[in-house]
Amino acid sequence: MNDGKLGFEDDLMLDVPAGGGRAVLQAISSHLAPCAQVPASLILDGLLAREALGSTGFGEGFALPHAFIPGLVTPAKVLVTLREPIEFNAPDDEPVDILLAVIWPHGQHEGFLQFLSKLCRVFRSKKLLAALRGVRSETEALNVLSAAVCTTSPSARSSVTASHGPLLR
């Protein structure tokens, strides 16, 4: 569907208690497993293996953990806000309190880097990150995300929504 909204209706985890990077990735894996129809342990292993290659910390308190997952049929993602920031080896040495985790079918690399690039363009906005830090409900978060997609260039918005409808609506 291409109606200009980010498709996060079922993909939000707000005010998650931290406890460290592994604990957050574990919570993400447990959240994604039921809809992804792959074991949480497989997702966690993929995310941890990717982090072992180098931090997916983006800067400004944002991280984009991602991994290719064997057995996954459809890409999935979840936006997470943390109750307190955690160390995540970000390039600016700032702790992370907002994560957007993306899992992608192993062996289906087409479109993956382009998709991550589009997400980075949206989430590099300091204004968006600040607004997400202030949300107290899923409704508020969805409003902030919808406003963010409206400020993204129409070509970026349409190309992502056209090729990855289940992820961005």
Side-chain angles (χ1 to χ4, degrees), residues 68-86:
F68 291 105
I69 306 297
L72 182 66
V73 175
T74 304
K77 50 90 188 85
V78 62
L79 179 68
V80 181
T81 64
L82 300 178
R83 195 167 292 161
E84 60 274 336
I86 59 170

Side-chain angles (χ1 to χ4, degrees), residues 1 10-12 23 32-33 38 60 64 70 86-87 93 106 113 130 132 141 143 146 152-154 156 161:
M1 181 185 306
D10 298 321
D11 303 322
L12 294 169
L32 289 173
V38 294
E60 303 292 334
L64 187 61
I86 59 170
E87 290 303 316
D93 292 322
H106 187 268
L113 290 177
L132 285 172
N143 288 338
S146 291
T152 304
S153 73
T161 56

Side-chain angles (χ1 to χ4, degrees), residues 3-156:
D3 61 9
K5 292 183 180 177
L6 287 170
F8 283 96
E9 289 76 8
D10 298 321
D11 303 322
L12 294 169
M13 297 173 63
L14 302 179
D15 200 33
V16 173
R22 183 183 180 90
V24 170
L25 294 178
Q26 223 162 5
I28 287 168
S29 300
S30 295
H31 177 86
L32 289 173
C35 90
Q37 298 182 337
V38 294
S41 60
L42 195 60
I43 297 170
L44 178 61
D45 288 348
L47 293 172
L48 289 172
R50 172 55 191 88
E51 289 301 320
L53 297 174
S55 175
T56 57
F58 190 80
E60 303 292 334
F62 176 71
L64 187 61
H66 55 277
F68 291 105
I69 306 297
L72 182 66
V73 175
T74 304
K77 50 90 188 85
V78 62
L79 179 68
V80 181
T81 64
L82 300 178
R83 195 167 292 161
E84 60 274 336
I86 59 170
E87 290 303 316
F88 213 78
N89 296 320
D92 62 359
D93 292 322
E94 291 296 318
V96 166
D97 62 348
I98 299 174
L99 300 94
L100 177 58
V102 176
I103 56 174
W104 203 268
H106 187 268
Q108 297 180 17
H109 297 192
E110 186 177 333
F112 177 70
L113 290 177
Q114 180 184 13
F115 181 68
L116 286 185
S117 174
K118 305 281 184 193
L119 290 174
C120 287
R121 284 188 205 126
V122 173
F123 284 89
R124 73 178 173 205
S125 164
K126 291 179 184 182
K127 183 177 176 182
L128 170 62
L129 296 174
L132 285 172
R133 289 182 179 104
V135 301
R136 297 294 170 242
S137 70
E138 287 189 7
T139 300
E140 286 180 35
L142 292 171
N143 288 338
V144 166
L145 292 166
S146 291
V149 95
C150 289
T151 61
T152 304
S153 73
S155 62

